[in-house]
């Protein structure tokens, strides 16, 4: 039986937090903003790119499922009794979110260069491609500044 204050997986834990299902599906605000940016700014199929990335993560979840890791970090954060240790779990979640974001971006690179432009990856390497996509990095920020640093289970 559940404790009176314990939330079920389907419920939001607070007003700003995603549900467990939404987290496990990768519906984080940062990722949704990226999908929108890819679609609107760069004319790529952002939803398809995310869906493919999620399928790859799911196929390899026996190694690590980053979306699940973010959710598990949240559970550890919520149940951490030592207040000074809670920041560790939030930082872990932010690091997993950053990795997830970068995987979606790398898949966007493959879509843009190979499928849309019809070029070889040796023609346009990832770093060159990213230099022309400053909005993608600005959307993410870093662990110390910007949207990623402000991630709070959304």
């Amino acid at each position: 039986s559940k404790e009176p204050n314990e939330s079920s997986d389907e419920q939001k834990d607070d007003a700003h937090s995603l549900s467990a299902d939404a987290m496990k599906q990768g519906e984080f605000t940062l990722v949704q903003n990226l999908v929108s940016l890819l679609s609107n700014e760069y004319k790529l199929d952002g939803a398809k790119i995310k869906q493919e990335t999620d399928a790859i993560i799911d196929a390899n979840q026996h190694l690590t499922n980053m979306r699940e890791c973010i959710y598990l970090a949240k559970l550890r954060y919520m149940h951490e009794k030592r207040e000074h240790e809670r920041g560790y779990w939030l930082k872990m979640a932010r690091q997993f979110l950053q990795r997830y974001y970068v995987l979606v971006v790398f898949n966007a690179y493959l879509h843009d260069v190979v499928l849309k432009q019809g070029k070889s990856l040796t023609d346009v390497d990832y770093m060159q491609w990213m230099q022309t996509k400053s909005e993608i990095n600005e959307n993410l920020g870093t662990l110390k500044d910007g949207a990623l640093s402000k991630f709070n289970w959304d």
Side-chain angles (χ1 to χ4, degrees):
S1 116
K2 290 188 179 228
E3 295 293 321
N5 295 332
E6 188 175 345
S7 300
S8 73
D9 274 3
E10 290 76 31
Q11 294 176 335
K12 286 189 170 193
D13 297 303
D14 60 50
H16 302 289
S17 179
L18 290 174
S19 69
D21 289 340
M23 291 182 90
K24 291 176 183 179
Q25 294 300 313
E27 296 174 9
F28 305 101
T29 301
L30 271 173
V31 174
Q32 294 302 321
N33 289 346
L34 173 62
V35 167
S36 179
L37 184 64
L38 294 172
S39 299
N40 298 326
E41 182 71 25
Y42 301 112
K43 308 303 180 213
L44 297 169
D45 188 343
K48 180 179 181 182
I49 289 167
K50 180 188 176 301
Q51 182 181 32
E52 289 174 356
T53 305
D54 287 340
I56 292 166
I57 289 170
D58 292 344
N60 292 287
Q61 67 184 352
H62 60 284
L63 300 171
T64 298
N65 182 325
M66 284 173 236
R67 299 181 322 262
E68 186 84 17
C69 288
I70 296 166
Y71 174 67
L72 293 174
K74 179 182 181 182
L75 291 179
R76 289 183 178 112
Y77 174 89
M78 290 170 39
H79 297 288
E80 178 61 63
K81 292 181 182 10
R82 299 165 297 181
E83 188 67 34
H84 67 280
E85 293 291 326
R86 295 180 94 200
Y88 170 80
W89 295 113
L90 182 57
K91 181 180 178 184
M92 289 295 293
R94 288 174 177 159
Q95 289 172 334
F96 279 116
L97 179 57
Q98 183 180 41
R99 292 175 196 153
Y100 178 46
Y101 187 97
V102 169
L103 282 178
V104 175
V105 171
F106 189 77
N107 194 20
Y109 157 71
L110 298 174
H111 271 256
D112 188 23
V113 173
V114 176
L115 300 177
K116 187 177 175 187
Q117 297 179 36
K119 294 182 179 178
S120 163
L121 298 181
T122 57
D123 294 333
V124 181
D125 72 30
Y126 181 71
M127 295 306 291
Q128 291 172 319
W129 184 80
M130 281 300 295
Q131 287 175 353
T132 66
K133 309 287 186 273
S134 60
E135 296 88 351
I136 291 173
N137 281 330
E138 290 167 8
N139 181 60
L140 177 62
T142 67
L143 290 170
K144 295 182 181 190
D145 187 42
L148 182 62
S149 71
K150 294 173 180 65
F151 170 73
N152 194 23
W153 316 115
D154 63 348

